[in-house]
Amino acid sequence: MTDGLEADVEGTDEIAQRRDDLAARVRSHAGEIARELAVLQGGDYGQETFDTDGGSWTLKYEAGDVQYLRFDPKSGSETYVVSSKQPPEPEPLETALADYGAFVEAYNEHVRSFDGILEDVPDEFPAIESTAELVAERDRIVDRIREVGNAMAAQLHRYDGEYGTYATTVSGTRWELKWDGDVASYLRVGGSDGTYLLSQYGPPPAPEVRRLAEDVPAFVADFNDHVDDLEADLERVSFDGR
């Protein structure tokens, strides 16, 4: 009788090598499908599931490469044929690869289902109206408002300091001018959520300019009244140096 300690131990190197070779080939082949899906879907990230008679295959891709390929047979446990971890065991891999051709055909049928889908889509479109004239007129009006705002800022700077805000109510709406030196930082109409007629970020939409521009003269008139009141107050101040 042969002592068990003297019996030969069967090696697994050949099986493991065969498994790794198959897994590498599947990864490469499935990677081509992943890249095609990324092109078809118009993005670098996504996943797609394909049904076969043997089960379902889910391919997840990222940056145009396969992240995993999972086979969920109709009977038995799911197998990650391709994954970021170790390759599957030989027997589950063998079961999955027996259905791999059906998975590829399901993918091909998926692609063929899009044949002709764009044939009747028009590739000629109506002419686009230019906004150049409207924008030019909007900018002309805003530039004029900015000139007025800067003139007001210069007066406020002279009397009230380097920076600050002047606010009044026009037609029941709050108008607020903020100045920094001789420059208007912003002119806001309607409180904190209102419209910035003047700002550092660019002009407001043309409809807002149209809606508010008519009240600019009233805003200026209120400011002038404010200046007149200040001048009257100053006139009443006396200083006797004796």
Side-chain angles (χ1 to χ4, degrees):
M1 180 180 293
T2 302
D3 190 324
L5 293 175
E6 297 178 357
D8 293 336
V9 176
E10 292 291 337
T12 62
D13 289 349
E14 185 175 344
I15 297 173
Q17 184 62 49
R18 175 62 175 164
R19 185 271 315 274
D20 292 346
D21 290 345
L22 287 171
R25 291 181 61 190
V26 172
R27 172 179 284 277
S28 176
H29 191 268
E32 295 181 26
I33 296 177
R35 286 186 288 276
E36 294 296 338
L37 282 173
V39 171
L40 178 63
Q41 299 298 339
D44 285 341
Y45 307 91
Q47 71 176 41
E48 199 74 44
T49 298
F50 303 91
D51 294 323
T52 67
D53 291 340
S56 64
W57 292 76
T58 300
L59 176 65
K60 182 178 181 181
Y61 56 90
E62 181 176 336
D65 194 13
V66 59
Q67 291 298 293
Y68 66 71
L69 176 62
R70 184 180 65 230
F71 175 55
D72 188 7
K74 291 188 174 179
S75 62
S77 301
E78 66 183 19
T79 300
Y80 281 83
V81 181
V82 176
S83 76
S84 59
K85 301 178 181 179
Q86 71 276 5
E89 294 296 321
E91 186 173 350
L93 178 61
E94 181 182 21
T95 301
L97 290 185
D99 196 63
Y100 185 78
F103 154 64
V104 177
E105 181 55 32
Y107 159 77
N108 288 338
E109 290 180 1
H110 173 71
V111 174
R112 285 194 292 267
S113 71
F114 292 97
D115 286 351
I117 193 172
L118 298 177
E119 286 182 357
D120 297 328
V121 176
D123 57 4
E124 295 183 2
F125 308 104
I128 298 172
E129 290 291 336
S130 172
T131 62
E133 184 175 347
L134 174 63
V135 168
E137 181 63 10
R138 186 271 315 272
D139 291 348
R140 184 190 67 79
I141 296 172
V142 171
D143 286 346
R144 180 66 184 119
I145 295 173
R146 184 170 295 281
E147 290 176 6
V148 172
N150 288 342
M152 295 168 67
Q155 298 301 322
L156 291 164
H157 176 205
R158 181 176 298 111
Y159 179 78
D160 278 341
E162 183 68 24
Y163 57 88
T165 58
Y166 165 76
T168 188
T169 299
V170 177
S171 300
T173 302
R174 178 181 173 86
W175 286 58
E176 181 178 273
L177 176 74
K178 181 178 180 180
W179 78 89
D180 187 351
D182 289 343
V183 176
S185 296
Y186 68 72
L187 174 58
R188 184 175 64 201
V189 183
S192 59
D193 295 327
T195 298
Y196 284 82
L197 268 178
L198 302 176
S199 79
Q200 58 181 321
Y201 301 109
E208 290 296 282
V209 174
R210 174 68 181 85
R211 180 176 67 89
L212 298 172
E214 292 181 351
D215 283 334
V216 173
F219 173 62
V220 175
D222 281 0
F223 173 78
N224 288 335
D225 289 343
H226 171 70
V227 173
D228 289 343
D229 289 342
L230 292 177
E231 290 179 348
D233 289 342
L234 288 174
E235 289 175 357
R236 288 195 293 268
V237 174
S238 63
F239 175 72
D240 189 346
R242 291 179 300 171

